[in-house]
Amino acid sequence: MESLIDKDRIQVKFSAENQFAAIEMAAKPLWEQGYVDEGFLAAVMERERNFPTGLPTRVGVALPHTEAKYVIKEGISILTLDKPVLFAGMGNPKEKVLVEILFLLAIKNPAKQLGVLQTIITIIQNEMVLKKIKGAKDPKTIYNLINQFI
Amino acid sequence: MKLVLVACGTALATSTVVARKIETIAKEHGIECRTIQAKAADAFKKSQELHPDAIVCTCQLDGESDIPIINGRAFLTGINIQSTIDQLVEILKK
């Protein structure tokens, strides 16, 4: 498959002050590589405020995304953080979740991308893999870890 | 045939994964079940039209409904997933 996940959309050990700085950094390669339009970032931020995506897995994960109309080409950007930042919990905006890994999804056709979405869910349920992703020092390591599941 | 309405913020990413999981679980329990996805904002309107047996959501839903609502986040995180499965199966077996 033409991979939604690629090394040039994986960034590691980023230092972010808050969730919005983290989302902005994660969105950068999607924007620069023509995956999303100029409205994407603001729409993701807005959605995150209304429908937060933090998941309190053993290593906290967030899955920010927004509507298909901002997506030009489908892709996923992965960002790991050197220090956790606070997200609100998915389905529970009052809950605070410390997030260390972001999967920023630029998806148009979820039925077509079900495989890769399921792969991400499989990974976030696997504490060992999450810890390896969190500890990875370069994009290639993360890419190889994820590819084992695809 | 049972019907489960799956809601998330955009009806795009998480609800797609959760809907497939629900279909698989129903099948494993010998329950005929289909799912339909909705955006959070449309969830109650759609449930009034379609009368699903349950609503499973990965987002907060504002409002009241007579239809049982299940928090589907465990289908994503895997945390305490069995109790969510039990809750779903119990409703679908009624």
Side-chain angles (χ1 to χ4, degrees):
Chain A
M1 72 179 193
E2 202 209 335
S3 187
L4 298 188
I5 296 170
D6 206 351
K7 290 188 277 290
D8 58 4
R9 293 187 296 282
I10 299 174
Q11 303 171 86
V12 299
K13 304 272 183 193
F14 180 66
S15 173
E17 266 181 39
N18 54 42
Q19 61 167 325
F20 297 112
I23 292 172
E24 194 174 346
M25 192 64 189
K28 209 169 163 242
L30 292 172
W31 164 247
E32 287 175 353
Q33 295 166 33
Y35 282 77
V36 298
D37 74 10
E38 66 282 354
F40 179 79
L41 178 61
V44 172
M45 302 271 201
E46 177 68 14
R47 188 193 181 280
E48 194 63 38
R49 271 188 286 266
N50 296 330
F51 298 106
T53 65
L55 292 171
T57 35
R58 294 305 286 269
V59 178
V61 169
L63 306 172
H65 58 282
T66 187
E67 284 167 47
K69 64 180 176 188
Y70 303 102
V71 177
I72 298 164
K73 261 194 303 187
E74 298 186 298
I76 293 170
S77 170
I78 300 169
L79 177 75
T80 66
L81 297 168
D82 65 349
K83 285 193 300 284
V85 298
L86 279 177
F87 274 69
M90 190 185 286
N92 185 1
K94 290 197 180 98
E95 177 188 23
K96 290 184 166 63
V97 180
L98 283 169
V99 166
E100 295 179 82
I101 304 170
L102 277 79
F103 292 90
L104 176 59
L105 314 173
I107 299 288
K108 263 179 181 316
N109 183 345
K112 210 178 93 195
Q113 306 305 351
L114 185 65
V116 78
L117 292 172
Q118 284 172 332
T119 298
I120 289 174
I121 300 307
T122 303
I123 288 168
I124 70 177
Q125 294 185 10
N126 187 325
E127 184 184 350
M128 207 177 71
V129 178
L130 283 185
K131 283 187 170 159
K132 283 185 183 166
I133 290 176
K134 177 186 147 183
K137 293 190 174 63
D138 55 75
K140 191 165 177 273
T141 307
I142 294 177
Y143 180 77
N144 290 340
L145 276 166
I146 292 175
N147 254 339
Q148 289 171 12
F149 289 87
I150 289 179
Chain B
M1 175 72 88
K2 301 287 180 174
L3 179 66
V4 176
L5 186 114
V6 186
C8 74
T10 48
L12 194 64
T14 56
S15 60
T16 306
V17 177
V18 171
R20 290 299 93 75
K21 291 232 179 200
I22 290 168
E23 286 164 8
T24 309
I25 291 161
K27 212 174 187 181
E28 284 167 5
H29 288 82
I31 302 163
E32 272 192 81
C33 175
R34 66 188 186 90
T35 59
I36 186 148
Q37 288 168 242
K39 288 185 189 187
D42 305 333
F44 286 128
K45 203 177 124 236
K46 266 203 177 172
S47 78
Q48 278 165 4
E49 286 164 18
L50 302 167
H51 307 289
D53 298 278
I55 300 172
V56 176
C57 57
T58 57
C59 56
Q60 66 282 12
L61 290 179
D62 300 322
E64 301 253 314
S65 172
D66 298 335
I67 294 157
I69 298 174
I70 297 172
N71 183 336
R73 201 169 76 173
F75 293 127
L76 303 176
T77 62
I79 300 165
N80 294 330
I81 191 167
Q82 192 56 47
S83 71
T84 307
I85 292 173
D86 294 345
Q87 207 185 344
L88 176 73
V89 169
E90 195 191 321
I91 291 166
L92 294 183
K93 281 203 164 157
K94 271 182 192 161

